[in-house]
Amino acid sequence: MARRQWVRLGMMAGSMALVAAACGSTSTGAAASGSSASQIPANYASYALHTGDTFSWVFPIPNEANYEPWDQNAEYGMYRPLYVAGNGSSPVIDYANSIGQKPVYSNGNKTVTVTLNPWKWSDGAPVTARDVQFFYNLYVANKSQIATYVPGNFPDNVASFKVDSPTQFTLNLKAAVNPLWFTDNELTDVVPLPQQSWDRLSLTGKVGNFDLTTAGAKAVFKFLYAQASKLSTYATNPLWKVVDGPWRLQSYDPTTARTVFQRNNAFSGPDKPKLSGYVLESFSSQTAEVDALRNGSLDYGYLPMSDVKLASTFKSGGYTIAPWATDYVQWAELGYTSKTWGPLVKQLYVRQALQHLINEPLYLSATLHGDGQLTYGPVPNLPGSPYVSAQEKTDPDPYSVSAAKALLAGHGWTTGPHGFLVCASPGTGATQCGANITKGEPLSLKFMYQTGSPTLQAQVEAFATAAKSAGIDMVLDPQSQSTMFSIGGVCPSSGPCNWGIILYRTFLWNYGQGDVLPTGGQMFGTGNYWGGGYSSPTAQALINATHTQPGLQPLYNYENYISTHVAALWFPTWDWQVSVVSDHLHGWNPQQVFGNPVPSRWYF
């Protein structure tokens, strides 16, 4: 009886911490970093990135450390992808604003032909099939360094690239594909690059056709990568002056990451920008961002979840408040490749027990104020989405400390001398701890999470309280976002993951940048960057089926498996933000389904 009372009190304390965090207030007094209304030129709008987010990669081929939606949103404003993902609030391709016309599939879905619309680079040169081939050649020769690459997918599934004419190219594939998948998830990664300007080995060297050989493509990529790493030259480097999108870099502060874009007056595509420019503002704290809203330095900002009570104040001060629901998924990665914690998280029963300790309904109501969705698997549970299976709409592992304890006790764990569970029955039998878990080993996990968000911290602390109630030693390791990227964003490709669980504030996987159709190859396919090294032959076979078989049933089969297999720990998915927008700014609504603010549509 005494132990049961202690558990209940512990959970009450966790719940009260959640409510306290939800009612917390952002203090005043801190000024926005490097931002004031007087620094915004006429007919420029200012937009706030989330706390800790900075634009820091101009080259529109992402590396591991810079494969983030805020980077790609800015890049794609300068360098349009072949196909624009997201059309208003619909998770579909926006063909009207894409360089490529709708692709044509033939030869049993083994041949893809794309015709280009008549776009131009800012130097007057046309955007041609040769520019797409330039991207393709760089990608093929350097794929191991590119964050969007998943073995077996693009470009491994392409047998040949043929330039048919300046405005048309053909891809011959190695096998038949699902056209919806190949268009939505493969071709959206393709970005025509200005071959007539970038196919060189130095800033002063002549432009050639270096990319036509593997050695040349590697040399060109190395040069461009090195130039993109020089943040101090972003605004002056002539490479980045040649763009085909509606914006070009005007200024960049490598210290604060404040980025100013000016209108590309030579932009040849539709949806021409009405503003003269816009500014990306970065903030070191949520306090600074809210204060920038208060003092009128921001046209388009957001309220932290812990400060949504300020909404009425901003409404009366000339702002519109609009939650921004996006087609994302929130999860905590598990360190499958960790030598210390990998053997634990590789056990399905351990993952199921951990999921039982995440009180999603409480987190959603108490810390997110209902601005989000419950998450039960890898496909966004956005209302009305056709991609969510019936099974994934219900929780396979609902919150229950007793269920978690029963799972662990049933697999050979018992309370040790320090009050936490230890393995009493090592081995791989049905009632034993599992492979590579030794006798007496404690059930202890290192949980790295991002600092700077009271909302996230409240969720993490409540989870840790529940874990302790179940006998799990949850060692919390709060870190800044930059530190987390340097540790968590480079494994497992650069070595084992040095954590058991890792959770980012804005780790809402953006299906619009990598996958429009949420088939999961980049997230949970073998060789992924963002699944902690998760690898399952069954999951891979199901993912492969979504690539080759038409219809939605293969997608449902995949998501149901990943959901019940608990490939990651599912947390409630936050709305991208609660937007606070000046009533003087128009054209921003509807807010784009993949979190892209689309500044080309704004106007005062």
Side-chain angles (χ1 to χ4, degrees):
M1 177 67 71
R3 180 170 177 80
R4 185 177 296 112
Q5 289 176 340
W6 174 82
V7 170
R8 185 177 179 184
L9 286 171
M11 290 316 302
M12 287 175 64
S15 301
M16 291 175 69
L18 281 174
V19 174
C23 297
S25 173
T26 299
S27 62
T28 60
S33 57
S35 173
S36 70
S38 63
Q39 292 178 300
I40 306 296
N43 202 34
Y44 279 60
S46 52
Y47 177 83
L49 295 176
H50 290 169
T51 304
D53 295 350
T54 59
F55 173 63
S56 58
W57 192 249
V58 68
F59 186 30
I61 297 182
N63 60 14
E64 290 181 56
N66 301 93
Y67 186 31
E68 304 298 342
W70 53 90
D71 276 313
Q72 287 196 294
N73 288 340
E75 292 163 8
Y76 287 174
M78 296 181 286
Y79 308 101
R80 272 289 195 256
L82 186 64
Y83 294 107
V84 175
N87 189 352
S89 58
S90 300
V92 298
I93 289 177
D94 182 359
Y95 285 107
N97 284 288
S98 295
I99 295 175
Q101 298 178 18
K102 191 171 183 177
V104 176
Y105 288 81
S106 59
N107 188 29
N109 293 330
K110 292 191 291 185
T111 299
V112 189
T113 301
V114 175
T115 300
L116 304 181
N117 289 309
W119 285 47
K120 290 187 176 181
W121 296 103
S122 54
D123 64 1
V127 176
T128 68
R130 178 70 177 96
D131 296 321
V132 182
Q133 183 189 40
F134 179 52
F135 168 89
Y136 174 80
N137 290 341
L138 294 186
Y139 204 118
V140 170
N142 302 279
K143 59 188 180 183
S144 64
Q145 302 178 59
I146 299 172
T148 50
Y149 172 67
V150 175
N153 288 4
F154 183 89
D156 294 350
N157 50 16
V158 178
S160 66
F161 184 111
K162 181 174 179 289
V163 174
D164 303 319
S165 72
T167 59
Q168 182 178 289
F169 67 90
T170 295
L171 299 176
N172 291 301
L173 309 180
K174 295 178 180 178
V177 296
N178 172 2
L180 180 62
W181 167 76
F182 194 83
T183 301
D184 284 13
N185 294 8
E186 304 284 84
L187 295 180
T188 48
D189 278 337
V190 175
V191 185
L193 302 178
Q195 187 273 334
Q196 84 287 351
S197 176
W198 287 10
D199 198 354
R200 62 175 74 210
L201 306 181
S202 70
L203 281 175
T204 57
K206 292 183 178 181
V207 173
N209 290 298
F210 300 105
D211 68 298
L212 296 181
T213 67
T214 300
K218 288 184 175 181
V220 171
F221 184 86
K222 182 178 180 180
F223 162 66
L224 293 172
Y225 193 102
Q227 293 300 306
S229 301
K230 297 177 181 178
L231 276 67
S232 62
T233 68
Y234 270 15
T236 58
N237 193 319
L239 288 172
W240 318 131
K241 302 291 186 183
V242 181
V243 299
D244 64 351
W247 306 105
R248 58 192 303 173
L249 269 172
Q250 178 175 328
S251 65
Y252 181 82
D253 187 325
T255 302
T256 66
R258 186 173 192 262
T259 311
V260 180
F261 293 95
Q262 64 183 167
R263 180 171 55 209
N264 170 20
N265 290 323
F267 179 56
S268 58
D271 207 10
K272 291 179 172 53
K274 303 170 183 66
L275 296 176
S276 299
Y278 76 101
V279 183
L280 287 182
E281 299 283 14
S282 297
F283 298 90
S284 59
S285 70
Q286 293 179 342
T287 299
E289 190 272 339
V290 172
D291 283 347
L293 282 169
R294 284 193 176 108
N295 66 34
S297 300
L298 282 173
D299 298 300
Y300 197 153
Y302 63 91
L303 281 178
M305 291 296 182
S306 54
D307 280 309
V308 293
K309 65 184 182 302
L310 297 175
S312 59
T313 300
F314 281 104
K315 283 181 181 178
S316 62
Y319 289 89
T320 296
I321 310 299
W324 190 344
T326 46
D327 205 38
Y328 295 172
V329 174
Q330 174 82 325
W331 67 67
E333 288 180 80
L334 295 166
Y336 291 96
T337 62
S338 167
K339 295 179 180 179
T340 303
W341 301 287
L344 294 172
V345 300
K346 285 179 180 177
Q347 308 304 317
L348 174 59
Y349 75 88
V350 170
R351 301 197 301 273
Q352 290 171 327
L354 292 170
Q355 190 64 53
H356 275 303
L357 301 174
I358 299 172
N359 194 339
E360 286 202 53
L362 178 64
Y363 300 175
L364 180 61
S365 62
T367 72
L368 301 179
H369 310 281
D371 292 325
Q373 298 80 239
L374 297 172
T375 304
Y376 303 137
V379 172
N381 207 353
L382 200 66
S385 171
Y387 303 134
V388 186
S389 69
Q391 179 177 313
E392 202 190 322
K393 293 179 182 178
T394 59
D395 192 348
D397 301 296
Y399 177 73
S400 172
V401 175
S402 61
K405 293 171 69 175
L407 273 170
L408 298 172
H411 286 83
W413 294 87
T414 188
T415 303
H418 301 291
F420 293 108
L421 295 174
V422 295
C423 177
S425 180
T428 58
T431 60
Q432 294 179 308
C433 301
N436 300 314
I437 298 175
T438 59
K439 186 176 180 64
E441 180 177 338
L443 184 49
S444 177
L445 289 164
K446 180 181 179 181
F447 187 177
M448 184 184 297
Y449 69 95
Q450 183 178 329
T451 57
S453 169
T455 300
L456 186 69
Q457 182 174 340
Q459 294 183 10
V460 169
E461 290 177 350
F463 174 53
T465 299
K468 184 177 180 180
S469 299
I472 301 171
D473 181 21
M474 192 66 65
V475 181
L476 299 185
D477 182 25
Q479 297 288 348
S480 68
Q481 184 183 80
S482 59
T483 299
M484 289 181 66
F485 283 166
S486 66
I487 296 174
V490 297
C491 77
S493 61
S494 63
C497 297
N498 190 29
W499 36 267
I501 307 170
I502 191 168
L503 179 63
Y504 298 84
R505 151 61 186 95
T506 51
F507 193 62
L508 307 160
W509 186 261
N510 187 352
Y511 283 103
Q513 307 298 350
D515 288 354
V516 176
L517 189 70
T519 56
Q522 292 190 26
M523 284 67 74
F524 298 111
T526 301
N528 64 76
Y529 282 115
W530 294 110
Y534 174 83
S535 181
S536 161
T538 300
Q540 189 60 55
L542 292 171
I543 290 171
N544 291 344
T546 68
H547 299 177
T548 59
Q549 299 175 16
L552 292 178
Q553 190 57 50
L555 174 65
Y556 296 155
N557 295 341
Y558 148 74
E559 66 184 275
N560 292 343
Y561 179 82
I562 293 293
S563 171
T564 56
H565 207 239
V566 200
L569 296 183
W570 317 117
F571 276 71
T573 298
W574 309 28
D575 283 350
W576 179 244
Q577 63 187 36
V578 177
S579 297
V580 182
V581 189
S582 168
D583 288 342
H584 297 292
L585 187 66
H586 304 280
W588 55 271
N589 209 18
Q591 298 183 97
Q592 202 255 11
V593 69
F594 295 124
N596 188 339
V598 197
S600 61
R601 298 181 181 177
W602 302 348
Y603 62 95
F604 287 115

